[in-house]
């Protein structure tokens, strides 16, 4: 009848309960990892890992078909393995220098898509089978899927939030982190692995093609609102939860793609935040950011330099 | 090198020991056999022209550049084999790195100085320590300012606070006053004076001694990757850094003498300093 009873019905639907919980966890954890990726200027890393995960999905199908079990059973584990391996490979390339890195990454991205399409054909599936992974299929989240989502999200949040001081140091100034004796290689590898896990977890919610958006766009929103790293991460996480849950709720009433709705919603929030910020952030007419600094040069008293002004000598 | 007649037994223990250090970067041979020992309580200035290898030497000291030959020992621990007590070493890199994608506040940057190989989490009471360190460099009121809205000199001071927050026994600074205005230089010199007074060992890369002239107990001059002077800091000519001094030097087009150092880079005298 009214909206509240409709929402009440939605919450009693077991499919919807699982989907909402998955959306909540993914919405909270993806922007946490995304904050580190944006800080390292690796915003598109999630996208690359998503491409590689597609090969993992197809590989899982192939193994499932060969073992004679349900082909979908190994799809998500295959994606996890491929995404972690791919993320570590990208990290290795990044470490070894930037000259060939760009090209190597591109090759890896396209190899991931092509490998996925090729392997799914060999496994007896069709490109249609890949669609649910490319664009998400949150309404079909099963009980075991949910367990995996809960475990991996918890792992992502524990690493991403628990180690945030060390991960911040490594992402902010790697040279200083080395000079602090931090295990830079290990921490970088952790960011890579956690990014890969995020991609596979978010795969069910928004799909591999839109995973990166869920990691990056909430961070872009948060940056409009705050200048602190910790607050950026917190705000992004809240934005992620809000857009995921809201987007999913919309799809309960309207027959639209959940992944696309969530991403469009996130971008809409970004547009609003970007439009509103100049109106909110404006304080006073052109404040001098450094009023406490004395001048560096001596000025003779003249029409443009007030004589009572203290100048540094 | 220029050790005088002090008794070995009474000399303070070495804090930084560099032996026959060579560093290559691709085809170029940047450091060509550096020997350097800095003892506890010393304030050593590392001088030399651009490209002489000062920054590379400092980077090799803190482990961000791998030596191709030779050994580096910090506080008695070898850089390659032993566990260096990094939490006792404060490092100030040349300048703030390129802006990262996510802005961070001065306090967050300083707090990262509290981490080390043995501590991956911020310790209890880190906020107070961060505030103290920022206060030390005169930026207590800018703790929650974003790094990118601070001026260049203020950013440099935040990086110094990041090294000070861990209460280091050794401070390694790479051109901390390059491009920093006079008041900031004076504030920096005052900070270093307090640290040296507390017994902190300081190794500082500089272009000219400037405000630090009185503090530095020893100067090491690099030239083309070799130590060409190691001893008392030569007094700069009184007027050299004064406002009225004009940094105009004759440039003859024909090369007069090819290789040897014809001018002491520190005091500008024409006596031969290579030893």
């Amino acid at each position: 009848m009214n909206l509240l009873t409709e929402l009440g019905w939605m919450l009693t639907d077991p499919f919807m309960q699982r989907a909402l919980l998955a959306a909540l966890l993914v919405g909270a954890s993806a922007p946490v990892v995304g904050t580190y990726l944006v800080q390292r200027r690796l915003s598109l890393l999630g996208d690359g890992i998503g491409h590689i995960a597609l090969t993992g999905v197809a590989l899982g199908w192939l193994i499932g078909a060969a073992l004679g079990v349900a082909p979908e059973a190994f799809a998500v584990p295959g994606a996890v393995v491929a995404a972690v391996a791919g993320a570590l490979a990208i990290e290795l390339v990044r470490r070894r220098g930037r000259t060939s890195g760009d090209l190597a990454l591109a090759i890896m991205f396209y190899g991931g898509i092509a490998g996925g399409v090729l392997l799914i054909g060999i496994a007896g599936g069709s490109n249609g089978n890949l669609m649910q992974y490319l664009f998400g299929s949150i309404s079909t989240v099963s009980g075991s899927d949910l367990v995996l989502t809960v475990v991996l999200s918890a792992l992502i949040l524990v690493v991403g939030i628990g180690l945030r001081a060390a991960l911040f140091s490594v992402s902010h100034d790697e040279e200083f982190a080395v000079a602090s004796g931090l295990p830079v290689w290990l921490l970088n590898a952790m960011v890579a692995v956690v990014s890969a896990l995020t991609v596979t977890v978010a795969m069910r919610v928004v799909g591999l093609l839109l995973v990166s958006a869920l990691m990056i766009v909430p961070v872009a929103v948060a940056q409009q609102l705050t200048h602190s790293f910790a607050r950026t991460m917190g705000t992004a996480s809240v934005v992620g939860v809000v857009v995921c849950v809201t987007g999913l709720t919309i799809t309960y009433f309207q027959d639209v793609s959940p992944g696309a709705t969530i991403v469009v919603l996130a971008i809409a929030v970004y547009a609003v935040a970007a439009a509103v910020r100049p109106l909110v952030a404006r304080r006073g007419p052109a404040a001098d950011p450094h009023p406490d600094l004395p001048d560096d040069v001596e000025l003779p008293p003249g029409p443009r330099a007030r004589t009572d002004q203290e100048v540094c000598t | 090198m220029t050790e005088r007649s002090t008794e070995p037994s009474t000399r303070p223990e070495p804090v930084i020991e560099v032996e026959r250090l060579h560093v290559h970067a691709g085809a170029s041979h940047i450091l060509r056999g550096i020997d350097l020992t800095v003892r506890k309580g010393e304030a050593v200035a590392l001088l030399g022209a651009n490209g002489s290898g000062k920054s590379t030497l400092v980077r090799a000291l803190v482990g961000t550049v791998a030596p191709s030959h030779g050994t580096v020992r910090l506080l008695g621990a070898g850089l390659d084999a032993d566990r260096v007590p990094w939490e006792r070493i404060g490092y100030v890199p040349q300048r703030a790195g390129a802006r990262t994608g996510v802005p961070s506040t001065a306090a967050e940057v300083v707090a990262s100085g509290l981490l080390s190989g043995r501590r991956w989490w911020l310790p209890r009471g880190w906020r107070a320590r961060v505030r103290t360190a920022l206060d030390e460099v005169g930026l207590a009121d800018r703790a929650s300012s974003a790094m990118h809205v601070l001026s260049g000199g203020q950013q440099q001071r935040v990086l110094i606070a990041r090294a000070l927050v861990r209460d280091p026994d050794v401070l390694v600074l790479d051109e901390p006053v390059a491009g920093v205005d006079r008041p900031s230089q004076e504030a920096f010199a005052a900070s270093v004076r307090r640290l040296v007074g507390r017994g902190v060992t300081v190794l500082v890369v500089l272009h000219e001694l400037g405000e630090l002239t009185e503090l530095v107990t020893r100067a090491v001059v690099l030239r083309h990757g070799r130590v060409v002077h190691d001893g008392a800091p030569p007094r700069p000519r009184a007027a050299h850094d004064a406002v009225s001094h004009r940094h105009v030097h004759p440039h003859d087009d024909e090369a007069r003498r090819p290789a040897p150092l014809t001018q002491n880079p520190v005091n500008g005298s024409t006596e031969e300093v290579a030893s």
Side-chain angles (χ1 to χ4, degrees), chain A residues 34-218:
Chain A
T35 309
Y36 295 115
L37 297 187
V38 174
Q39 195 192 16
R40 317 171 143 225
R41 301 199 174 284
L42 286 174
S43 297
L44 295 177
L45 182 74
D47 221 15
I49 297 174
H51 287 49
I52 295 166
L54 194 68
T55 295
V57 166
L59 207 59
W61 271 69
L62 195 62
I63 292 170
L67 294 178
V69 294
E72 277 152 350
F74 288 103
V76 172
V80 171
V81 171
V84 169
L88 288 174
I90 293 171
E91 174 59 26
L92 270 177
V93 169
R94 197 180 74 86
R95 270 193 95 66
R96 291 192 47 188
R98 286 163 208 289
T99 43
S100 64
D102 176 48
L103 210 56
L105 291 188
I107 291 169
M108 229 179 272
F109 292 1
Y110 306 129
I113 287 275
V117 173
L118 201 63
L119 287 177
I120 201 82
I122 295 171
S126 70
N127 289 349
N129 296 123
L130 288 180
M131 281 309 195
Q132 57 170 315
Y133 300 100
L134 284 174
F135 293 106
S137 58
I138 192 164
S139 49
T140 62
V141 171
S142 68
S144 59
D145 283 342
L146 192 63
V147 171
L148 191 68
T149 303
V150 169
V151 170
L152 291 183
S153 304
L155 191 66
I156 293 163
L157 287 173
V158 164
V159 172
I161 296 175
L163 286 178
R164 75 176 177 284
L167 294 178
F168 169 80
S169 180
V170 167
S171 307
H172 179 75
D173 187 345
E174 201 168 298
E175 190 179 336
F176 182 78
V178 170
S180 297
L182 283 169
V184 170
W185 156 240
L186 181 64
L187 291 167
N188 280 332
M190 276 185 189
V191 173
V193 168
V194 161
S195 309
L197 295 182
T198 308
V199 167
T200 46
V201 167
M203 175 172 81
R204 293 312 292 261
V205 177
V206 290
L208 289 171
L209 287 182
L210 294 174
V211 160
S212 210
L214 198 52
M215 296 163 85
I216 303 307
V217 179

Side-chain angles (χ1 to χ4, degrees), chain A residues 20-34:
Chain A
L20 278 173
L21 186 57
L24 187 82
L25 288 169
V26 169
S29 55
V32 168
V33 178

Side-chain angles (χ1 to χ4, degrees), chain A residues 34-36 38-41 162-163 165-169 171-176 178-183 186-187 190 219 223 226-232 289-296 312, chain B residues 59 62-64 86-87 89 91 93 97 99-105 108-109 112-113 115-122 141-142 144 146-151 154 157 159 162-163 166 181-183:
Chain A
T35 309
Y36 295 115
V38 174
Q39 195 192 16
R40 317 171 143 225
R41 301 199 174 284
L163 286 178
L167 294 178
F168 169 80
S169 180
S171 307
H172 179 75
D173 187 345
E174 201 168 298
E175 190 179 336
F176 182 78
V178 170
S180 297
L182 283 169
L186 181 64
L187 291 167
M190 276 185 189
V219 180
Q223 279 198 24
T226 174
H227 279 324
S228 141
F229 181 82
R231 256 180 266 143
T232 298
H290 306 294
D292 50 332
L293 290 186
D295 288 336
D296 222 8
C312 183
Chain B
R59 291 212 181 103
V62 297
T64 57
W86 290 111
E87 64 278 358
I89 298 158
Y91 170 52
R99 235 180 101 179
T100 51
V102 176
S104 40
T105 63
E108 284 173 327
V109 172
S112 67
L115 304 176
S116 71
R118 293 174 200 192
R119 183 184 285 285
W120 296 16
W121 290 271
L122 292 177
D141 54 332
R142 306 309 298 260
S144 53
M147 275 298 267
H148 66 263
V149 306
L150 298 179
S151 70
Q154 287 173 329
R157 278 144 77 188
L159 297 193
R162 180 177 64 172
R166 56 177 68 162
D181 63 12
R182 199 51 173 268

